[in-house]
Amino acid sequence: DIVMTQSPDSLAVSLGERATINCKSSQSVLYSSNNKNYLAWYQHKPGQPPKLLIYWASTRESGVPDRFSGSGSGTDFTLTISSLQAEDVAVYYCQQYYTPPYTFGQGTKLEIK
Amino acid sequence: QVQLQESGPGLVKPSETLSLTCTVSGGSISSYYWSWIRQPPGKGLEWIGYIYYSGSTNYNPSLKSRVTILVDTSNNHFSLRLNSVTAADTAVYYCARGSIVAGRMDYWGQGTLVTVSS
């Protein structure tokens, strides 16, 4: 199985400041035939289902605010929230869909400082 | 707007079978992948498996011996069966749609808590 490791486990950021979450996969999730990284980011709030934010490592899902961005390739990825809003408090997960079993990182809890 | 809704018993006895159904509304079950994911209390997300609308499946090896996922295209729902459950199977169970590729899950159900206890 591909192991996904996120850092940090928790993060406190002031409103309006930048938040950065890292994700590392135990093997590359870059598919050479189409040059796509099979990596997604989800936002998970209490009492709600996870919400897809980013796929192909850097493509925003429809309706996701542009303060959310994803970057990286191969085994190292980053989710950035450029200006933290109160509604962004949540747990964020990276997930590889390169090969089953699809696996998630352990989650990063994002709070307001 | 596509909506998914899980249904089934919230309490299952140890050694028995957990059975859940996910009903899809606002869109067709055809041409997509349909997954089950779970989250034990206080823990992270675990992908259980998926079924393609045609009926082909892929299961997490950690659960493969106990899992069956079925699809009913005529009634626009799919189901999960997990047998020989233990307390370790207590979790919130989510169903989700995979589009473009199986693991890109863009629509999720609200989730249902299943507790395994006698």
Side-chain angles (χ1 to χ4, degrees), chain A residues 42 44 49 55 61 93 95 102, chain B residues 39 94 102-105 109-110:
Chain A
Y42 296 86
H44 195 190
Y55 60 98
E61 176 70 340
Y93 293 94
Q95 176 231 341
Y102 305 127
Chain B
Q39 183 175 37
Y94 296 99
R104 175 193 170 276
M105 293 175 281
Q110 279 295 119

Side-chain angles (χ1 to χ4, degrees), chain B residues 9-16 18 20 37-46 48 63 66 80 82-94 112-118:
Chain B
L11 182 64
V12 181
K13 289 183 168 56
S15 80
E16 296 190 344
L18 180 159
L20 295 174
I37 305 96
R38 69 181 184 178
Q39 183 175 37
K43 295 189 177 181
L45 298 164
E46 179 183 32
I48 299 169
L63 297 167
R66 299 193 291 130
L80 169 70
L82 180 66
N83 57 36
S84 304
V85 297
T86 70
D89 295 309
T90 293
V92 175
Y93 285 77
Y94 296 99
T112 188
L113 174 62
V114 179
T115 301
V116 178
S117 174
S118 55

Side-chain angles (χ1 to χ4, degrees), chain A residues 1 14 18 26-27 41 43 67-68 70 73 80-81 83 88 96 100-102 105-106 109:
Chain A
D1 298 4
S14 300
R18 178 184 300 261
S26 61
Q27 66 185 75
W41 288 96
Q43 177 191 64
R67 64 180 181 273
F68 291 91
S73 185
T80 301
I81 307 172
S83 176
D88 300 334
Q96 66 80 18
Y102 305 127
Q106 79 277 18
K109 186 175 184 179

Side-chain angles (χ1 to χ4, degrees), chain A residues 62-95:
Chain A
S62 176
V64 172
D66 62 6
R67 64 180 181 273
F68 291 91
S69 63
S71 62
S73 185
T75 61
D76 292 279
F77 302 91
T78 300
L79 173 70
T80 301
I81 307 172
S82 60
S83 176
L84 188 71
Q85 305 299 302
E87 61 265 33
D88 300 334
V89 169
V91 178
Y92 291 84
Y93 293 94
C94 61
Q95 176 231 341

Side-chain angles (χ1 to χ4, degrees), chain A residues 39-43 49-56 61 94-97 101-104, chain B residues 4 32-38 45-51 78 94-109:
Chain A
L39 188 285
W41 288 96
Y42 296 86
Q43 177 191 64
K51 175 186 177 182
L52 177 64
L53 296 176
I54 303 283
Y55 60 98
W56 301 136
E61 176 70 340
C94 61
Q95 176 231 341
Q96 66 80 18
Y97 50 98
Y102 305 127
T103 47
F104 295 84
Chain B
L4 288 74
Y32 293 100
Y33 300 85
W34 303 94
S35 278
W36 288 96
I37 305 96
R38 69 181 184 178
L45 298 164
E46 179 183 32
W47 176 76
I48 299 169
Y50 74 69
I51 189 164
F78 63 107
Y94 296 99
C95 57
R97 187 184 83 168
S99 68
I100 305 178
V101 291
R104 175 193 170 276
M105 293 175 281
D106 58 353
Y107 285 96
W108 294 60

